[in-house]
Amino acid sequence: MGIDYEKLGFRAGLEIHQQLDTSKLFCSCPSVLTDECTATFERTLRPTASEMGEVDRAAREEAKRGRKFIYLASSSSCLVEADEEPPHEVNREALETALIVALMMNAEIMDEIHFMRKIVIDGSNTTGFQRTALIAMNGEVDGIPIESICLEEDAARKVGEEKNVVKYALDRLGIPLVEIATAPEIKSPKHAREIAEKIGLLLRATKRVKRGIGTIRQDVNVSIRRGNRVEIKGVQELNDIPLILENEVKRQLELIEVAERLKGKEEEIKKAKVMDVGDVFKNTECRFIKKVIEKGGTVMGIKLPGFAGLIGGVKYKEHRLGREFAMHAKKMGGGIMHSDELPAYGISNEEVGKVRKMLKCGMEDAFVISASSKEIARKCLLAVKERAMQAVNGVPREVRRALQDGFTEYMRPMPGAARMYPETDVPPIRIRERELKKLMKMLPEHPEEKMARIASQYRISREDAKQIVYSGRDDEFEMLASKYAGHSKVVARILLHILPEIRREGYGEVGMEKIDEILHGLSRNYFAKEAVEKLMHHMAKNPSATLEEAMKKCGVRAMDEEEVRKEVRKIIEDRREFIMERKMNALSPLMGVAMKSLRGKADGGMVSRILKEELQKFLEVN
Amino acid sequence: MIETGDEVEVRKGDRVYRGIVMPRHIFSDKNMLVIKLPSGYNMALDRRKCEIKILKKGGTRKKQVKPVEFDDSKPIVALLGTGGTIASYVDYKSGAVHPAATAEELTFAVPEIFQICNVEADVLSQKLSENITPADWQRMARRAKKYLNDGKPVIIAHGTDTMAYSAAALSFMFRKLPSSIIFVGSQRSSDRPSSDAFVNLMAAVRVALADMAEVAVVMHESISSSRVAIHRGTKVRKMHSSRRDAFVSINAPPIGYVKGEKVVLEGEHKRRSGGKAVLKAGLEKEVALVYYYPGMGRDEFEAMVNGKKGVVIAGTGLGHVGEHLIPEIRKLTRSGIPVVMTTQCLWGSVNLNVYSTGRKLLRAGVISGYDMLPEVAWIKLMWVMANESNVEEAMITNIAGEISERREIGDFVK
């Protein structure tokens, strides 16, 4: 059954983060990821209160977790990434790229660029904030308004997490990112994918962005009527977007349904208390709980009034509230089990009954238990309670993380605007008209226009032209297709089909020089275009092979003696007068002429032998 | 008139933006109007190209100040503010950083502090530390004495640029301390989540409450925030322009360190005692500190010491200057002006017996500064000239831990 997104009041926006292909934004470190580690250090971060005593919501929640961060330094980081030296002046090349992107999207560029500090205290920035600047506003891509174009620093790369300690590599920290945010005017999950693709294409058209896994990240925000705005971070693949959005819509529908059934229960939920129910499990068969109790831990429980049947899923089981509870508990370092899924995991029906009795659960009530140290179990259940209270109001505004399977999990509450303040260590940058005029002249061809032009100029299909532009092989294509006019279809086939096939087979890349050599051979009619594929594969498998060897090995037919003799006779006939004058001295100049037309088709030694024989014959006769 | 904090509507072409007027960055173009958009971003617009309408005057917002309850069961610590950003909080609206002027405001910056003590906050000055003068050291010392004699250890929050100078000055001035004077600063301002201020300040409180009566500087030991070092006021120097672990004890190990809640005092240190603080705050301010460089001419040297009543030279290696300056130095010492030799190497001691230039300098009446840091010797000479009758004798005597007799192999950071 398809979902009618329009009827649900579906609204989605995209935030695309693209790494730029230049050194870091505020220092000269290379933007290269590495596994080496030259030094480590350890920090904590804390939220800082504003004058009004306000602490950002998201920051406060993170601070509650009290985590410690270990940073791994390498040759891709310096004192700036370690937050041991102030940022240097902004990378001009990165700024220029951001301006080019803004111009391509027809956006209004700021008269002056001001970097801000956006508070992020999950450790992914050593400073506790991300430096970000608004470059332009009010652009447009394919009919969708672009609300903002920002230039910012990428975060550190998480490489490990254990209990309360998170490890980050500093190599990625500070790589310049362009962030494109669309208005929430995207109509459907499929539409979102299309727009993301268009934006990606535009970014790549600058030829100044990084390519490959992890260099572009998509965040999507989505809401439906009676739901709420939810931001989903880190969608890696374009193809994942529709599924993730569809799932989010279902999740919101599920939560709306749960809220509907919880009406009037708010006060009761507020009163719920966390209790120690460890006594129930003294002789439990549940191996996990047994272990926890042996280690001196216990089982804590909380009653959730009115939640019976709602935790395990109502409309969409896979988007059950239980998943949300579990994630909130996980953030506090523990796990949970709830009455909708019990008895299970070795917990008996009798034990369930005892817990119900202890917590005074009625028919309509559910309970959640957590086994761990008393303190952690308590924290987990308080987090569950907090989430349960939100369930009354339906969908909480929050930030979620995209998972591989198209699902998402809770990350943090939606941060407020309170978390931004000026980065005073970086002077503002005036953007002048003449600078923009200069950039206007450097703007790359719009991808759509480029597709149309390539198709008509080189007489290839629209589809091939599109593929060439999408794959970013447009420069290579144009170079080869104009050099070997008349063979543009072969060039397209090489770039779009043969090379990817070779890559799939796991062989090394066939370099441009090799491709050029093959096309040269083709243009000289050394072989038919049908042989190109075979030759390419041979040369991929045998990187040191010359074209001649490849032709021989592939049985791409070179000329035989008779054909060579025929060609040589023709050359001699054509130069009759010259030969009569020079006699045998004509041999050397004629060899040059012969080789010019026979190189690659026949062995030089054979050509020389045949030419000598034929020349003697000719002179004997004439 | 448009003022910072006003809510405005700005019309540029057919676009309308709303936001709050922000203070202009000093490097911002004078025609720029900077507004904070609802998204939190600052946006700059050329005033000449837009129409601005005030929607709501900003006015001054009242601070929400929660009173801090005095806790009888906890000790009292005096926190003197001199400027710097250790105990400050940010106004996210304007981005301005304000220092904590009272205990109440300190709760915004470092609420944890009240879990271990009561704080009497006292703002002495609002100076960037590069603007601090010897007269400020005297003010600091007098105010500190007042609290010390009330039985309250003192923490002085100080900008890091000249913190070591102030610490050295107070080290000489206090001839007896009932408890400690702890200097503390931050290399990352406290408006940042990564600030070292909190860890340093909490450590400073713990050191102030420990059984020690010294003037010390308490700052990060490494770039990790796990350990904080306790440096003697006369041996410490800022050795890096930006790192958290910029402060280093030179020619001596630190007194100790703080790890979490634990204060470890490994090095020599005086214990707390009853009694009153003895303060001798006098300073002879006409003392020159001359950094010798190759080719420094006699006239240049003369100009630098002209009118001075005492001179400290930061010489090369074991304590040398070009031989051509020796007659000038002799002239000074003959007229009763003490000249003290220290080394630019910072690490290691002056020894004027090894090379002929050193021996000539000794003959010319130069006083060896041994392993005193040049600026510490300079402060000491100022203090000695104002408080001691035998200047030479006092300069070569260890008064406040400024001269070490022995240096172990480990006492060198490369």
Side-chain angles (χ1 to χ4, degrees):
Chain A
M1 188 188 71
I3 297 173
D4 186 341
Y5 290 100
E6 203 187 324
K7 220 168 123 194
L8 288 174
F10 179 93
R11 276 161 68 86
L14 287 164
E15 231 179 66
I16 308 241
H17 300 89
Q18 169 73 62
Q19 287 182 350
L20 304 185
D21 196 15
T22 169
S23 60
K24 294 204 177 168
L25 192 53
F26 292 110
C27 68
S28 316
C29 285
S31 296
V32 178
L33 300 188
T34 166
D35 286 329
E36 68 163 2
C37 171
T38 53
T40 65
F41 57 94
E42 168 198 316
R43 298 269 171 78
T44 53
L45 291 173
R46 49 175 286 153
T48 46
S50 75
E51 195 171 34
M52 307 299 289
E54 291 160 8
V55 176
D56 181 64
R57 234 178 339 194
R60 190 168 351 106
E61 180 166 311
E62 173 58 40
K64 260 196 239 165
R65 305 172 67 189
R67 293 195 295 179
K68 201 162 82 181
F69 309 114
I70 293 177
Y71 295 102
L72 279 56
S74 64
S75 57
S76 286
S77 71
C78 65
L79 286 183
V80 174
E81 286 86 342
D83 188 39
E84 290 293 351
E85 186 175 298
H88 303 178
E89 278 187 34
V90 69
N91 177 342
R92 283 278 162 180
E93 198 185 333
L95 177 62
E96 202 177 275
T97 307
L99 292 172
I100 287 174
V101 169
L103 290 170
M104 287 173 77
M105 295 181 174
N106 262 321
E108 291 162 29
I109 290 168
M110 302 290 115
D111 294 326
E112 203 172 64
I113 307 288
H114 288 244
F115 274 92
M116 307 295 289
R117 296 171 177 170
K118 190 194 272 185
I119 300 289
V120 182
I121 62 162
D122 64 0
S124 59
N125 288 71
T126 46
T127 50
F129 50 74
Q130 177 192 34
R131 298 187 182 94
T132 173
L134 182 62
I135 302 294
M137 294 172 83
N138 306 318
E140 189 247 281
V141 170
D142 216 36
I144 295 293
I146 299 296
E147 281 184 348
S148 65
I149 296 164
C150 294
L151 178 61
E152 56 192 34
E153 309 174 284
D154 204 343
R157 195 163 53 90
K158 193 166 168 179
V159 291
E161 182 168 8
E162 232 178 86
K163 283 187 182 162
N164 247 6
V165 181
V166 193
K167 273 188 189 173
Y168 286 103
L170 294 180
D171 49 3
R172 201 179 69 185
L173 180 61
I175 294 181
L177 292 178
V178 166
E179 186 215 74
I180 314 289
T182 76
E185 293 189 18
I186 292 168
K187 306 284 189 304
S188 71
K190 211 175 123 241
H191 189 202
R193 187 206 181 282
E194 276 167 35
I195 295 298
E197 185 166 48
K198 290 263 159 67
I199 292 172
L201 200 55
L202 219 56
L203 289 167
R204 288 193 296 276
T206 62
K207 309 276 175 195
R208 296 163 75 139
V209 304
K210 281 198 189 285
R211 306 191 57 134
I213 298 159
T215 60
I216 186 162
R217 294 194 295 277
Q218 284 96 195
D219 296 350
V220 290
N221 56 73
V222 58
S223 66
I224 56 173
R225 205 172 298 117
R226 295 173 60 215
N228 216 332
R229 198 180 114 105
V230 166
E231 205 175 298
I232 300 164
K233 293 249 175 229
V235 185
Q236 294 278 359
E237 294 282 335
L238 281 181
N239 290 331
D240 297 343
I241 292 176
L243 180 60
I244 279 176
L245 285 178
E246 187 187 317
N247 276 331
E248 179 55 22
V249 168
K250 287 180 180 164
R251 198 186 67 90
Q252 296 207 8
L253 289 171
E254 167 75 16
L255 293 178
I256 291 167
E257 182 63 32
V258 168
E260 195 62 41
R261 297 184 187 204
L262 282 175
K263 261 188 187 155
K265 294 281 177 196
E266 201 171 355
E267 284 309 309
E268 237 184 299
I269 301 167
K270 223 183 255 173
K271 283 183 209 142
K273 293 255 170 352
V274 177
M275 283 175 63
D276 194 328
V277 295
D279 282 352
V280 174
F281 298 96
K282 266 185 188 149
N283 301 308
T284 188
E285 294 289 308
C286 171
R287 278 161 65 191
F288 171 69
I289 291 181
K290 212 165 159 182
K291 232 195 234 160
V292 168
I293 291 177
E294 271 165 20
K295 278 195 202 153
T298 187
V299 184
M300 304 291 277
I302 189 169
K303 172 171 95 168
L304 294 179
F307 275 82
L310 303 186
I311 306 176
V314 184
K315 258 183 142 163
Y316 298 101
K317 293 254 182 256
E318 66 274 31
H319 299 294
R320 61 190 172 274
L321 187 57
R323 280 178 57 114
E324 305 301 314
F325 285 173
M327 196 55 209
H328 280 259
K330 192 178 159 197
K331 291 244 164 198
M332 294 297 152
I336 54 155
M337 286 176 262
H338 57 81
S339 48
D340 283 358
E341 60 181 351
L342 297 176
Y345 315 116
I347 294 175
S348 69
N349 205 10
E350 195 193 338
E351 283 166 332
V352 171
K354 279 184 182 167
V355 173
R356 280 191 163 282
K357 214 166 155 192
M358 262 186 103
L359 294 172
K360 299 195 176 73
C361 292
M363 288 292 287
E364 290 192 337
D365 305 332
F367 69 78
V368 178
I369 55 173
S370 176
S372 188
S373 75
K374 193 162 182 166
E375 197 35 51
I376 287 181
R378 206 184 135 71
K379 268 187 170 177
C380 288
L381 292 184
L382 287 177
V384 167
K385 182 184 167 184
E386 205 173 310
R387 181 64 189 80
M389 307 248 292
Q390 293 176 332
V392 178
N393 298 320
V395 186
R397 269 171 72 93
E398 63 190 24
V399 181
R400 302 181 67 82
R401 180 187 295 115
L403 303 176
Q404 298 290 339
D405 55 5
F407 280 72
T408 61
E409 65 181 20
Y410 170 76
M411 249 176 112
R412 55 170 183 254
M414 195 81 81
R419 65 168 178 161
M420 294 256 249
Y421 67 112
E423 169 52 277
T424 43
D425 297 344
V426 178
I429 306 135
R430 184 93 166 88
I431 303 297
R432 302 195 183 276
E433 281 295 327
R434 60 170 186 281
E435 201 177 336
L436 293 179
K437 272 188 191 139
K438 212 172 86 194
L439 288 178
M440 278 301 271
K441 285 185 201 138
M442 289 165 57
L443 285 196
E445 197 174 1
H446 194 284
E448 299 286 340
E449 288 162 18
K450 182 174 253 177
M451 283 177 217
R453 179 180 58 76
I454 284 180
S456 76
Q457 184 176 338
Y458 301 100
R459 292 160 203 261
I460 59 172
S461 70
R462 272 294 299 208
E463 187 49 37
D464 277 359
K466 184 177 157 190
Q467 288 301 320
I468 282 163
V469 174
Y470 271 52
S471 65
R473 292 241 180 219
D474 43 341
D475 284 349
E476 289 165 355
F477 173 80
E478 292 210 68
M479 195 268 280
L480 293 172
S482 48
K483 187 167 173 187
Y484 302 106
H487 292 289
S488 54
K489 286 195 181 70
V490 179
V491 175
R493 202 156 63 83
I494 290 173
L495 296 179
L496 297 178
H497 304 293
I498 301 175
L499 281 181
E501 205 177 287
I502 287 172
R503 220 171 300 129
R504 270 198 301 278
E505 284 168 11
Y507 295 106
E509 192 81 348
V510 181
M512 284 303 283
E513 312 85 75
K514 288 264 168 78
I515 296 174
D516 185 75
E517 212 181 323
I518 291 171
L519 286 166
H520 176 82
L522 177 69
S523 70
R524 285 305 186 89
N525 290 322
Y526 294 173
F527 44 81
K529 62 180 186 294
E530 289 71 24
V532 168
E533 189 163 348
K534 219 172 184 180
L535 289 169
M536 289 275 297
H537 277 91
H538 183 85
M539 288 173 96
K541 285 175 209 167
N542 308 283
S544 59
T546 64
L547 178 61
E548 262 173 66
E549 282 160 9
M551 284 166 61
K552 210 178 268 171
K553 281 270 157 56
C554 294
V556 169
R557 206 172 53 84
M559 293 167 99
D560 62 24
E561 193 162 329
E562 256 332 286
E563 289 174 284
V564 173
R565 205 172 285 281
K566 228 164 119 189
E567 181 73 15
V568 167
R569 280 190 192 136
K570 193 167 165 282
I571 289 168
I572 291 173
E573 270 311 314
D574 288 352
R575 288 165 184 73
R576 176 175 276 274
E577 276 181 36
F578 173 73
I579 295 166
M580 294 308 292
E581 193 186 314
R582 300 283 282 274
K583 308 287 180 197
M584 271 316 271
N585 284 338
L587 181 63
S588 172
L590 281 179
M591 185 64 193
V593 177
M595 279 318 289
K596 204 172 168 189
S597 74
L598 294 170
R599 180 172 292 116
K601 293 191 216 175
D603 182 66
M606 180 171 77
V607 176
S608 168
R609 176 173 56 79
I610 294 174
L611 181 65
K612 204 168 168 186
E613 286 169 12
E614 288 300 323
L615 188 60
Q616 275 166 349
K617 258 193 235 163
F618 178 84
L619 287 171
E620 277 165 29
V621 176
N622 291 285
Chain B
M1 237 263 289
I2 298 160
E3 290 172 304
T4 300
D6 291 351
E7 203 181 320
V8 293
E9 192 181 88
V10 184
R11 193 173 288 276
K12 187 188 178 193
D14 53 358
R15 293 283 176 192
V16 179
Y17 305 97
R18 275 180 180 215
I20 291 161
V21 178
M22 302 294 288
R24 220 164 41 80
H25 189 283
I26 189 166
F27 293 145
S28 208
D29 189 282
K30 67 181 192 314
N31 293 310
M32 287 299 148
L33 173 75
V34 181
I35 60 171
K36 191 183 189 71
L37 298 170
S39 64
Y41 278 100
N42 277 10
M43 172 191 199
L45 292 149
D46 194 329
R47 285 168 189 274
R48 294 166 300 183
K49 292 183 203 154
C50 47
E51 229 177 279
I52 307 157
K53 201 167 90 192
I54 298 175
L55 298 176
K56 211 169 112 198
K57 287 300 286 180
T60 45
R61 292 214 291 174
K62 256 180 104 180
K63 285 178 200 162
Q64 276 177 1
V65 182
K66 287 177 228 139
V68 179
E69 304 253 329
F70 186 85
D71 185 343
D72 276 335
S73 66
K74 289 175 187 145
I76 308 169
V77 169
L79 178 65
L80 306 192
T82 62
T85 54
I86 172 120
S88 49
Y89 51 92
V90 68
D91 174 0
Y92 281 77
K93 250 187 142 179
S94 66
V97 177
H98 302 297
T102 62
E104 280 72 26
E105 286 178 359
L106 196 61
T107 59
F108 286 134
V110 200
E112 304 94 308
I113 204 169
F114 296 96
Q115 286 167 17
I116 46 176
C117 63
N118 296 290
V119 178
E120 262 181 55
D122 184 350
V123 174
L124 258 183
S125 61
Q126 284 298 333
K127 281 191 179 182
L128 298 171
S129 81
E130 57 270 34
N131 296 326
I132 278 176
T133 64
D136 291 313
W137 303 337
Q138 292 170 321
R139 267 193 290 279
M140 268 178 232
R142 290 192 188 106
R143 194 67 65 90
K145 184 185 169 193
K146 192 186 105 189
Y147 290 104
L148 291 168
N149 284 345
D150 271 357
K152 299 160 191 163
V154 173
I155 294 171
I156 301 183
H158 201 295
T160 56
D161 276 18
T162 66
M163 182 158 69
Y165 289 77
S166 297
L170 269 66
S171 301
F172 292 116
M173 288 175 175
F174 279 97
R175 291 297 80 235
K176 187 174 183 319
L177 282 168
S179 58
S180 287
I181 298 175
I182 305 299
F183 281 85
V184 67
S186 67
Q187 287 284 81
R188 295 285 94 72
S189 59
S190 59
D191 56 290
R192 305 164 194 236
S194 65
S195 175
D196 51 337
F198 317 106
V199 170
N200 289 345
L201 187 56
M202 290 302 287
V205 171
R206 295 183 198 285
V207 177
L209 294 173
D211 187 10
M212 180 180 95
E214 294 277 357
V215 176
V217 167
V218 168
M219 291 288 286
H220 266 52
E221 188 182 69
S222 73
I223 64 169
S224 288
S225 48
S226 47
R227 263 172 57 136
V228 178
I230 307 165
H231 302 284
R232 187 176 304 287
T234 49
K235 279 294 182 196
V236 65
R237 197 169 198 275
K238 187 177 185 182
M239 295 296 281
H240 198 279
S241 62
S242 62
R243 283 170 65 133
R244 284 167 172 74
D245 55 353
F247 284 82
V248 177
S249 281
I250 295 192
N251 295 324
I255 299 174
Y257 61 88
V258 184
K259 189 173 169 73
E261 296 181 6
K262 203 172 67 185
V263 178
V264 179
L265 302 171
E266 297 165 324
E268 217 177 284
H269 62 278
K270 293 196 189 75
R271 298 292 182 85
R272 278 186 180 219
S273 63
K276 298 285 173 189
V278 176
L279 172 64
K280 289 184 174 181
L283 290 174
E284 169 51 65
K285 288 171 188 162
E286 291 304 325
V287 174
L289 174 56
V290 177
Y291 197 99
Y292 175 76
Y293 48 82
M296 177 186 274
R298 292 174 71 153
D299 45 346
E300 288 169 77
F301 179 76
E302 205 176 7
M304 283 186 261
V305 302
N306 185 27
K308 298 290 176 185
K309 294 182 182 152
V311 175
V312 173
I313 299 172
T316 58
L318 286 166
H320 303 135
V321 293
E323 282 178 288
H324 61 287
L325 293 184
I326 293 176
E328 293 299 323
I329 289 170
R330 191 179 296 114
K331 239 194 275 172
L332 291 171
T333 57
R334 288 229 171 118
S335 60
I337 294 171
V339 178
V340 179
M341 183 60 73
T342 60
T343 174
Q344 295 170 5
C345 300
L346 308 176
W347 296 95
S349 178
V350 162
N351 190 328
L352 299 171
N353 297 316
V354 179
Y355 292 103
S356 63
T357 303
R359 294 191 284 267
K360 285 177 194 163
L361 282 164
L362 271 182
R363 296 250 321 252
V366 160
I367 303 165
S368 171
Y370 294 103
D371 70 347
M372 274 188 282
L373 290 163
E375 64 275 14
V376 171
W378 171 68
I379 293 162
K380 183 179 179 183
L381 186 54
M382 283 198 271
W383 184 82
V384 163
M385 289 182 74
N387 294 286
E388 298 283 334
S389 48
N390 188 340
V391 171
E392 177 165 3
E393 181 63 31
M395 284 307 290
I396 60 171
T397 305
N398 180 22
I399 294 176
E402 74 279 13
I403 297 174
S404 318
E405 286 190 9
R406 43 194 295 281
R407 286 153 295 279
E408 292 185 11
I409 290 167
D411 300 339
F412 182 36
V413 178
K414 271 195 269 194

